[in-house]
Amino acid sequence: MSESRLHLHFLSLILLCCVSPSSFFDLNIDYSSYVACHPHQTKALTEFMNEFDSSYCNLNDPFNGVWCDNSTGAVTMLRLQSCLSGTLKPNSSLFRLHHLRHLNLTQNNFISSSLHSEFGNLNRLEVLSLSNNGFVGQVPSSFNSLSLLSVLKLSKNELTGSFPLLWNLTKLSFLSLSYNYFSGTLNPNSTSLFDLHHLRSLSLGYNNFSSSIPSEIGNLNKLEYLYISSNDFFGQVPPTISNLTSLTELYLEHNQLTGSFPLVQNLTMLSTIDVSDNHFSGTIPSSLTTMPFLLSLNLRENDLIGSIGFPNSSTPSRLEKLYLGNNHFEGKIIEPISNLINLKLLDISFLNTSYPIDLSLFSSQKSLLHLDLSDNSISPASLDTNSDIPTNLENLLLGSCGITEFPNILKNLEKLEFIDISGNIIKGKAPEWLWKLPRLNTLYISNNSLNGFQGPVDVLVNSSVKNLFMDQNYFEGAVPILPLSINAFTASFNRFRGRIPLSICNCRSLTHLKLDYNNLTGPIPQCLSNLLVVNLRKNNLEGSIPDTFNIGASLQTLDVGHNRLTGKLPRSLQNCSSLEFLVADHNMIEDTFPFWLKDLPNLQVLILSSNKLYGSISPPDQGPLGFPELRIFEISDNKFTGSLPPTYFVDWKAPFLMMKKYGVLYMEYGKYTCGGMFYFSMEAIDLQYKGLSMEHGMVLNSYATIDFSRNSIEGQIPESIGLLKALIALNFSNNAFTGHIPLSLANLSNLESLDLSSNHLSGTIPYGLGSLSFLEYINVSHNQLKGEIPQGTQIIGQPQSSFEGNAGLCGLPLQETCFGTNAPPTPRPSEEEKEEEEELLIWKGVATGYGLGALLGLAIAQVIASYKPEWLVKIIGPNKHINR
Ligand SMILES: *[C@@H]1O[C@H](CO)[C@@H](O)[C@H](O)[C@H]1NC(C)=O
Ligand SMILES: *[C@@H]1O[C@H](CO)[C@@H](O)[C@H](O)[C@H]1NC(C)=O
Ligand SMILES: *[C@@H]1O[C@H](CO)[C@@H](O)[C@H](O)[C@H]1NC(C)=O
Ligand SMILES: *[C@@H]1O[C@H](CO)[C@@H](O)[C@H](O)[C@H]1NC(C)=O
Ligand SMILES: *[C@@H]1O[C@H](CO)[C@@H](O)[C@H](O)[C@H]1NC(C)=O
Ligand SMILES: *[C@@H]1O[C@H](CO)[C@@H](O)[C@H](O)[C@H]1NC(C)=O
Ligand SMILES: *[C@@H]1O[C@H](CO)[C@@H](O)[C@H](O)[C@H]1NC(C)=O
Ligand SMILES: *[C@@H]1O[C@H](CO)[C@@H](O)[C@H](O)[C@H]1NC(C)=O
Ligand SMILES: *[C@@H]1O[C@H](CO)[C@@H](O)[C@H](O)[C@H]1NC(C)=O
Ligand SMILES: *[C@@H]1O[C@H](CO)[C@@H](O)[C@H](O)[C@H]1NC(C)=O
């Protein structure tokens, strides 16, 4: 069939739609002679594009376009990438383009749109790509009528439900459902997957499929690409996998697969095998390394045992990347691994072997660029200058290897770009030659016992190092003068003294600066306003926070807590629209509450406790507080006054949001991306709640905390507090709150710590609090409460002191029984309370208006949090590696 491309710039489409229908056709006839598209079709297309904000669509760029059939004028191919924004409706004109054979709408923004069953009308489609769009809901059964499809891409959406009904798509050769929320099993009796005999590429990765791999997988014997990583696949890989003789890439990583290594030795086309992060056990089949096309083999993080045996084969292996780390190999590496002559990347970290590894074992790997030996013991002699190790090495990882002396071997490795010797016990001073390595880019020397630098004070200045991580050592004296081109410098938990050198202002590329937990004095330099992350916590800095943040400032994190800062909060922080963390607790800042930050779209953490802040805590208009993304809000121990209006918390939607990859520094290992990512935590926050110890360096996940304690806030606790479903800790103690404890607190089903002590609260403790099953700590002492304490298991296990000092509480854990006293009966929801509940519902309505996504978002967020592993990354502490 012949096609021609519609040469219409989108501007002309806008013009077309602005005129009356009749003139529309007049105009269009002109065009149709040129573009060979039928007027009806052009009209439908125009209408489709006008359903969205499509002002960025350029139909003339190489990726986008419209193609029509030369003889019929029907639109047969439509490609629009990254330019549509809006909701796709079931009556969309898209579904009138019945002749479409190729539809590619990758990476648009179809806000909370479903995959409407009307897609089934486009039953001439051969290629359908709707990846990366934000589609929600299930794949409708009407997709089953797209029987001509050979390519179906639905990856990177928010689709749910079980494997879609596709048994009629017998021509399908390419199917991608990865990065969605699909779930359920792949039972061959109920899924259509194993009928898709023509599949050459199957991607199901990053979903929530929970299934064994049925032996029917062997039916898909045309498969070349199989990607089922990051699901919950369990059990053994069936032997029928050896039927997939065309397979070139096999990705099974990050599941719960068990049993011996899959039978893949006969799949001679394989170039990539990744089975990492499963529970495969037994020994490694030695024939793997001699598979004819195998370039990359990843066996990390399994339960494989035995010695790492490599056949003494005369056939050189083609293998370029070999990951064996984090297994249970007991043996000693005796033989030089001589047939792996093409190896560029070798990861044998964390072998659990008791034998020290001698670096000279790798002397024959002349191609080796990346060597990861972390978490092994290394023979000290082999770290000496005379050791014979491959001199082309670009990345060398020797973290946690028990090294005690600075490894002089590095001096010979002039091509090194990335060095990790963190987590050792290296003493003394960092040698001067280190800074002369000509290509050094990233250096981890954190967690050692280093106490200074050899050489003059400006020894680092000419180094090429861009990322320098030296936290948790004993460096003392002045902060060194940094190389001009440095990007990240972290030196937390050292003993640096004196001022932050003004020379830092010359480092124009600096984005991350962490000097927290040192003993720095003097002012904060005025020049730090262009950084992304500034952490100066726990020093003795003085003066005020510089008021130098310009519009467009990229600041994401500012932590200046625990210093001696005075003055006001800088008003220019308003310009930092990327600001996520603002932490300035334990200083002497004297100011009113920063309502002027209430519109910051990304602010998630606001910690201003223990300062000299004063004035009313309620917004001047007595309306909601604002701060839509806030989830950690701590202002305890100030002099705040005022009362909280009923709608105070209705703007908050953030408690549902996910941990983003804060401060993630992603290192490409030269050209060879390695399994490990390097993170460094920028947002280590000390959160102290009674009954909850939240450790420094914890990950902020989908929860919220509020601490207003030790102020002089009065009035009622707003019922809208009950909207913050993600709240896990609430501290209103030591204020002057009056009225009843809000019934809506019983809705906070994730609450773990509740402190309302030392206020003037009256009435009874709401019955519903007894059923909060996560409540570990509750304190309502020193109020004027009366009646029966709700007898939930979490409550009666609390100490008596949590209830003492009230007017008339009775029941466990107190000794006063309610029986025979004049205490009011156990409060159950009364008419009045129901009214309050209704009020809450109204607020819920309001909240929904503010952010429907918020309430719906809860479910989605929890879903994501519950299984998306890279978002659940635990930051193990400053400068620690994960994925080890
Ligand atoms: C279809 O029409 C276009 C534009 O007139 C022309 O370039 C193309 O060669 C035609 N295709 C066929 C197969 O006739
Ligand atoms: C769809 O378009 C995107 C962006 O232009 C492109 O990367 C992708 O390969 C296309 N998909 C298909 C199936 O043609
Ligand atoms: C499509 O349906 C929406 C309601 O969902 C309506 O507002 C709109 O006018 C309809 N559009 C057309 C072209 O019928
Ligand atoms: C299956 O495809 C055939 C054409 O191959 C079509 O006639 C039939 O209607 C389709 N069945 C369903 C359920 O869509
Ligand atoms: C599928 O159905 C067959 C026949 O009904 C049954 O024997 C088999 O156990 C079923 N398989 C699974 C995985 O449920
Ligand atoms: C293996 O593939 C063949 C076709 O090459 C097919 O007939 C057979 O059913 C498959 N066997 C299994 C066990 O899947
Ligand atoms: C691999 O191929 C050999 C020779 O064809 C055969 O004997 C063996 O059974 C096959 N192994 C598997 C696991 O299919
Ligand atoms: C491998 O070959 C070397 C000599 O090439 C020999 O010394 C060694 O014993 C052989 N190892 C095994 C396990 O056969
Ligand atoms: C910090 O420096 C001050 C004055 O220089 C000194 O008194 C104090 O002991 C130092 N603190 C620490 C923890 O080193
Ligand atoms: C994923 O599956 C697990 C159990 O298989 C279930 O507990 C969890 O809720 C599921 N998550 C989603 C998003 O369906």
Side-chain angles (χ1 to χ4, degrees), residues 265-297:
Q265 293 96 300
N266 283 3
L267 306 183
T268 51
M269 304 301 284
L270 274 173
S271 71
T272 301
I273 301 175
D274 190 343
V275 300
S276 60
D277 197 5
N278 279 289
H279 304 294
F280 289 114
S281 52
T283 53
I284 307 176
S286 59
S287 55
L288 282 179
T289 59
T290 48
M291 288 174 70
F293 297 111
L294 196 64
L295 298 176
S296 174
L297 175 60

Short mmCIF file of all heavy atoms in Angstrom, two decimals, residues 265-297:
data_model
loop_
_atom_site.label_atom_id
_atom_site.label_comp_id
_atom_site.label_asym_id
_atom_site.label_seq_id
_atom_site.Cartn_x
_atom_site.Cartn_y
_atom_site.Cartn_z
N GLN A 265 22.69 -23.88 28.81
CA GLN A 265 23.97 -24.12 28.13
C GLN A 265 23.81 -24.36 26.64
O GLN A 265 24.70 -24.07 25.87
CB GLN A 265 24.71 -25.31 28.74
CG GLN A 265 25.18 -25.07 30.15
CD GLN A 265 24.20 -25.63 31.14
OE1 GLN A 265 23.05 -25.23 31.16
NE2 GLN A 265 24.66 -26.54 31.98
N ASN A 266 22.67 -24.93 26.24
CA ASN A 266 22.49 -25.24 24.83
C ASN A 266 21.92 -24.06 24.05
O ASN A 266 21.72 -24.15 22.86
CB ASN A 266 21.56 -26.44 24.65
CG ASN A 266 22.29 -27.74 24.96
OD1 ASN A 266 23.45 -27.72 25.36
ND2 ASN A 266 21.61 -28.85 24.75
N LEU A 267 21.61 -22.97 24.75
CA LEU A 267 21.05 -21.81 24.04
C LEU A 267 22.23 -21.01 23.51
O LEU A 267 22.64 -19.99 24.07
CB LEU A 267 20.17 -20.99 24.99
CG LEU A 267 19.07 -21.79 25.67
CD1 LEU A 267 18.20 -20.89 26.54
CD2 LEU A 267 18.21 -22.50 24.64
N THR A 268 22.75 -21.50 22.42
CA THR A 268 24.06 -21.02 21.98
C THR A 268 24.04 -19.60 21.43
O THR A 268 25.09 -19.01 21.21
CB THR A 268 24.63 -21.95 20.90
OG1 THR A 268 23.63 -22.11 19.91
CG2 THR A 268 25.00 -23.28 21.48
N MET A 269 22.84 -19.05 21.19
CA MET A 269 22.80 -17.68 20.68
C MET A 269 22.91 -16.65 21.79
O MET A 269 23.05 -15.46 21.52
CB MET A 269 21.49 -17.43 19.94
CG MET A 269 21.19 -18.40 18.82
SD MET A 269 22.46 -18.36 17.57
CE MET A 269 22.03 -16.84 16.77
N LEU A 270 22.81 -17.08 23.04
CA LEU A 270 22.74 -16.11 24.15
C LEU A 270 23.97 -15.21 24.19
O LEU A 270 25.10 -15.67 24.15
CB LEU A 270 22.62 -16.85 25.47
CG LEU A 270 21.20 -17.24 25.89
CD1 LEU A 270 21.22 -18.11 27.12
CD2 LEU A 270 20.35 -15.99 26.14
N SER A 271 23.69 -13.93 24.31
CA SER A 271 24.80 -13.00 24.52
C SER A 271 24.75 -12.38 25.91
O SER A 271 25.75 -11.92 26.41
CB SER A 271 24.80 -11.91 23.45
OG SER A 271 23.71 -11.04 23.66
N THR A 272 23.56 -12.37 26.52
CA THR A 272 23.43 -11.80 27.85
C THR A 272 22.58 -12.71 28.73
O THR A 272 21.48 -13.10 28.33
CB THR A 272 22.73 -10.43 27.80
OG1 THR A 272 23.49 -9.57 26.97
CG2 THR A 272 22.60 -9.81 29.17
N ILE A 273 23.09 -13.02 29.91
CA ILE A 273 22.30 -13.76 30.89
C ILE A 273 22.37 -12.99 32.19
O ILE A 273 23.46 -12.70 32.70
CB ILE A 273 22.88 -15.17 31.15
CG1 ILE A 273 22.93 -15.99 29.86
CG2 ILE A 273 22.07 -15.90 32.22
CD1 ILE A 273 23.60 -17.35 30.05
N ASP A 274 21.23 -12.63 32.72
CA ASP A 274 21.21 -11.97 34.02
C ASP A 274 20.23 -12.70 34.93
O ASP A 274 19.02 -12.66 34.72
CB ASP A 274 20.81 -10.50 33.87
CG ASP A 274 21.02 -9.72 35.17
OD1 ASP A 274 21.16 -10.37 36.23
OD2 ASP A 274 21.03 -8.48 35.12
N VAL A 275 20.77 -13.41 35.90
CA VAL A 275 19.91 -14.12 36.86
C VAL A 275 20.17 -13.58 38.27
O VAL A 275 19.84 -14.23 39.25
CB VAL A 275 20.16 -15.64 36.83
CG1 VAL A 275 19.88 -16.21 35.45
CG2 VAL A 275 21.55 -15.99 37.30
N SER A 276 20.74 -12.40 38.36
CA SER A 276 21.15 -11.89 39.67
C SER A 276 19.96 -11.68 40.60
O SER A 276 18.82 -11.55 40.16
CB SER A 276 21.91 -10.58 39.50
OG SER A 276 21.10 -9.62 38.87
N ASP A 277 20.26 -11.65 41.89
CA ASP A 277 19.26 -11.40 42.91
C ASP A 277 18.08 -12.38 42.86
O ASP A 277 16.93 -12.00 42.74
CB ASP A 277 18.77 -9.94 42.82
CG ASP A 277 18.06 -9.51 44.09
OD1 ASP A 277 18.03 -10.29 45.05
OD2 ASP A 277 17.51 -8.39 44.11
N ASN A 278 18.42 -13.65 42.90
CA ASN A 278 17.43 -14.72 43.06
C ASN A 278 17.98 -15.67 44.12
O ASN A 278 18.84 -15.26 44.89
CB ASN A 278 17.24 -15.44 41.71
CG ASN A 278 16.30 -14.69 40.80
OD1 ASN A 278 15.10 -14.65 41.05
ND2 ASN A 278 16.83 -14.11 39.74
N HIS A 279 17.50 -16.87 44.15
CA HIS A 279 18.03 -17.83 45.13
C HIS A 279 18.54 -19.07 44.43
O HIS A 279 18.35 -20.19 44.91
CB HIS A 279 16.95 -18.20 46.15
CG HIS A 279 16.38 -17.03 46.86
ND1 HIS A 279 17.13 -16.25 47.72
CD2 HIS A 279 15.16 -16.46 46.83
CE1 HIS A 279 16.37 -15.26 48.17
NE2 HIS A 279 15.17 -15.36 47.65
N PHE A 280 19.16 -18.89 43.30
CA PHE A 280 19.74 -20.05 42.63
C PHE A 280 20.85 -20.62 43.50
O PHE A 280 21.60 -19.88 44.12
CB PHE A 280 20.29 -19.67 41.25
CG PHE A 280 19.20 -19.36 40.26
CD1 PHE A 280 19.04 -18.09 39.76
CD2 PHE A 280 18.31 -20.35 39.86
CE1 PHE A 280 18.03 -17.79 38.85
CE2 PHE A 280 17.29 -20.07 38.95
CZ PHE A 280 17.15 -18.79 38.45
N SER A 281 20.91 -21.96 43.54
CA SER A 281 21.91 -22.59 44.40
C SER A 281 22.70 -23.61 43.59
O SER A 281 22.48 -23.80 42.40
CB SER A 281 21.20 -23.25 45.59
OG SER A 281 20.18 -24.09 45.12
N GLY A 282 23.60 -24.26 44.28
CA GLY A 282 24.45 -25.23 43.58
C GLY A 282 25.66 -24.55 42.97
O GLY A 282 25.99 -23.42 43.33
N THR A 283 26.28 -25.25 42.07
CA THR A 283 27.51 -24.72 41.49
C THR A 283 27.25 -24.08 40.13
O THR A 283 26.20 -24.30 39.53
CB THR A 283 28.56 -25.83 41.33
OG1 THR A 283 27.94 -26.90 40.60
CG2 THR A 283 29.00 -26.36 42.67
N ILE A 284 28.21 -23.31 39.68
CA ILE A 284 28.07 -22.67 38.37
C ILE A 284 28.49 -23.67 37.29
O ILE A 284 29.58 -24.22 37.38
CB ILE A 284 29.02 -21.47 38.25
CG1 ILE A 284 28.82 -20.52 39.42
CG2 ILE A 284 28.80 -20.73 36.95
CD1 ILE A 284 29.80 -19.37 39.39
N PRO A 285 27.63 -23.89 36.33
CA PRO A 285 28.05 -24.78 35.24
C PRO A 285 29.27 -24.18 34.54
O PRO A 285 29.22 -23.03 34.10
CB PRO A 285 26.85 -24.80 34.29
CG PRO A 285 25.72 -24.15 35.02
CD PRO A 285 26.31 -23.29 36.08
N SER A 286 30.34 -24.93 34.48
CA SER A 286 31.60 -24.34 34.00
C SER A 286 31.55 -24.05 32.50
O SER A 286 32.28 -23.20 32.01
CB SER A 286 32.77 -25.25 34.33
OG SER A 286 32.55 -26.50 33.71
N SER A 287 30.64 -24.72 31.81
CA SER A 287 30.58 -24.50 30.36
C SER A 287 30.05 -23.10 30.01
O SER A 287 30.16 -22.68 28.86
CB SER A 287 29.70 -25.56 29.72
OG SER A 287 28.43 -25.55 30.33
N LEU A 288 29.50 -22.39 30.98
CA LEU A 288 28.93 -21.08 30.67
C LEU A 288 29.94 -20.15 30.02
O LEU A 288 29.64 -19.45 29.07
CB LEU A 288 28.42 -20.41 31.96
CG LEU A 288 27.09 -20.90 32.50
CD1 LEU A 288 26.76 -20.13 33.78
CD2 LEU A 288 25.98 -20.70 31.48
N THR A 289 31.16 -20.17 30.58
CA THR A 289 32.12 -19.17 30.09
C THR A 289 32.56 -19.44 28.67
O THR A 289 33.16 -18.57 28.05
CB THR A 289 33.36 -19.10 30.99
OG1 THR A 289 33.97 -20.39 31.00
CG2 THR A 289 33.01 -18.67 32.39
N THR A 290 32.28 -20.63 28.17
CA THR A 290 32.70 -20.90 26.80
C THR A 290 31.54 -20.89 25.82
O THR A 290 31.68 -21.35 24.69
CB THR A 290 33.45 -22.24 26.71
OG1 THR A 290 32.69 -23.22 27.39
CG2 THR A 290 34.82 -22.12 27.34
N MET A 291 30.40 -20.39 26.25
CA MET A 291 29.30 -20.27 25.28
C MET A 291 29.73 -19.31 24.17
O MET A 291 30.30 -18.26 24.44
CB MET A 291 28.03 -19.78 25.98
CG MET A 291 27.42 -20.87 26.87
SD MET A 291 26.03 -20.29 27.85
CE MET A 291 24.81 -20.05 26.58
N PRO A 292 29.42 -19.66 22.92
CA PRO A 292 30.11 -18.98 21.82
C PRO A 292 29.85 -17.48 21.71
O PRO A 292 30.71 -16.75 21.25
CB PRO A 292 29.59 -19.71 20.58
CG PRO A 292 28.37 -20.42 21.02
CD PRO A 292 28.56 -20.74 22.45
N PHE A 293 28.65 -17.02 22.08
CA PHE A 293 28.37 -15.60 21.91
C PHE A 293 28.20 -14.85 23.21
O PHE A 293 27.88 -13.67 23.22
CB PHE A 293 27.11 -15.40 21.05
CG PHE A 293 27.25 -15.93 19.66
CD1 PHE A 293 26.54 -17.04 19.25
CD2 PHE A 293 28.13 -15.32 18.77
CE1 PHE A 293 26.69 -17.54 17.96
CE2 PHE A 293 28.28 -15.81 17.48
CZ PHE A 293 27.57 -16.92 17.07
N LEU A 294 28.39 -15.55 24.32
CA LEU A 294 28.08 -14.92 25.60
C LEU A 294 29.06 -13.80 25.92
O LEU A 294 30.26 -14.00 25.98
CB LEU A 294 28.09 -15.96 26.72
CG LEU A 294 27.39 -15.50 28.00
CD1 LEU A 294 25.92 -15.25 27.76
CD2 LEU A 294 27.56 -16.52 29.11
N LEU A 295 28.50 -12.62 26.12
CA LEU A 295 29.32 -11.45 26.43
C LEU A 295 29.15 -11.01 27.87
O LEU A 295 30.05 -10.44 28.47
CB LEU A 295 28.96 -10.28 25.51
CG LEU A 295 29.16 -10.49 24.02
CD1 LEU A 295 28.67 -9.27 23.24
CD2 LEU A 295 30.63 -10.74 23.73
N SER A 296 27.94 -11.22 28.42
CA SER A 296 27.68 -10.72 29.77
C SER A 296 26.95 -11.78 30.58
O SER A 296 25.92 -12.30 30.17
CB SER A 296 26.83 -9.45 29.68
OG SER A 296 26.47 -9.02 30.97
N LEU A 297 27.51 -12.08 31.74
CA LEU A 297 26.94 -13.11 32.60
C LEU A 297 26.85 -12.55 34.01
O LEU A 297 27.85 -12.21 34.62
CB LEU A 297 27.83 -14.35 32.58
CG LEU A 297 27.47 -15.51 33.52
CD1 LEU A 297 26.07 -16.02 33.21
CD2 LEU A 297 28.49 -16.63 33.39
#
